[in-house]
Amino acid sequence: MKLAMIGFGQAGGKIVDKFLEYDEKTGSGIVRSAVAVNTAKADLLGLEHIPEENRVLIGQARVKGHGVGADNELGAEIAEEDIDEVQGAIDNIPVHEVDAFLVVAGLGGGTGSGGSPVVAKHLKRIYTEPVYGLGVLPGSDEGGIYTLNAARSFQTFVREVDNLMVFDNDAWRQTGESVEGGYDHINEEIVRRFGVLFGAGEVEAGDNIAESVVDSSEIINTLDGGGVSTVGYASEDVEVDSSGGGLLSRFKGDSDGGDDGMDTANTTNRITSLVRKAALGRLTLPCEIEGTERALLVMAGPPKHLNRKGIERGRKWLEEQTGSMEVRGGDYPTNAPKVAASILLAGVHNVPRIKELQQVAIEAQDNIDDIRQQSEDNLENLVEDDEDELDPLF
């Protein structure tokens, strides 16, 4: 799948930068074009892979390149005011070569949280390609203002995109990590999971061809219908045959008997086990998978470690667990020494973290209003004793 990625704000820019690094390492070619947009000049300078001409500094008249200070209302206003500057960078994207736009942002800060829904709305108005969002929720320990920003941004962003894929920092932070180390680890997890998913179906001349091809239309159809999506992932290291068994090697065994039959059974069992781990393990947004509207299973790995029976069994199991009749599946042959299952669950509803986020945000909003009122009262009390004796300056 060929994507035009737009990283909005600090987190969004870093994640898109990491996607470009992933492309270079794996040769997957997911990112057809990448743009970073920010109100903070320092954040744009810190990027390594996004071309300098595709880094857009907005809001210079308002914030002088210093960011919006976690004020996402200001972030949204600046994005509206400077949308032409963002469009100037988007004009350089060869849109006829992309399958979709992906707007990436952290939802807890100011620039990405406020600006990402604005640019998504703008893209949908102009282009016919799908516009997806990838939103990162802040950890619950990051403070009330970030939770409030995330809740407000989430409910706006999800309405402006064709589908919002969510990654929850809370589920992925590890104890004892430094802040920088923690975010690097999280960004790698994001890119690994979405990289396998979006990379499926990209085939060059001479590559192994999948028996059941997963291409961009499968992903688009799974995401079609809107709502919120989450991705599961599980992998297992395998030995790669240096002699390079071809496409047929994975289907041997059913009629040959002997060791080949055992190999086929082992391959099938490995695939079904990985599918269960991916669906029931740590999702990018933890949720109950029952009631999922649509799902897509991608099995990636060396051809001899993939087989149709295992993928069909995994897909059938996923159908039973989700209760969905729209479960697509296929394989993605790679030369990596591991077999990986990537599962896209689209249209999830039973998401406790979102309910909790909204509840905490409502309390934070009430507290902020109370604190502002208290602050005005305290200032009044502080100066009123002197008002009778002192004349004000003007």
Side-chain angles (χ1 to χ4, degrees), residues 6-10 35-39 44 54-56 58 86 111:
I6 299 162
F8 225 99
Q10 183 185 40
V35 173
V37 185
N38 213 315
T39 57
L44 291 174
N54 287 2
R55 303 179 198 180
V56 184
I58 59 172
V86 180
T111 303

Side-chain angles (χ1 to χ4, degrees), residues 105-127:
L107 302 187
T111 303
S113 170
S116 53
V118 173
V119 78
K121 183 178 183 178
H122 173 76
L123 290 169
K124 282 196 74 175
R125 201 167 58 232
I126 294 177
Y127 301 102

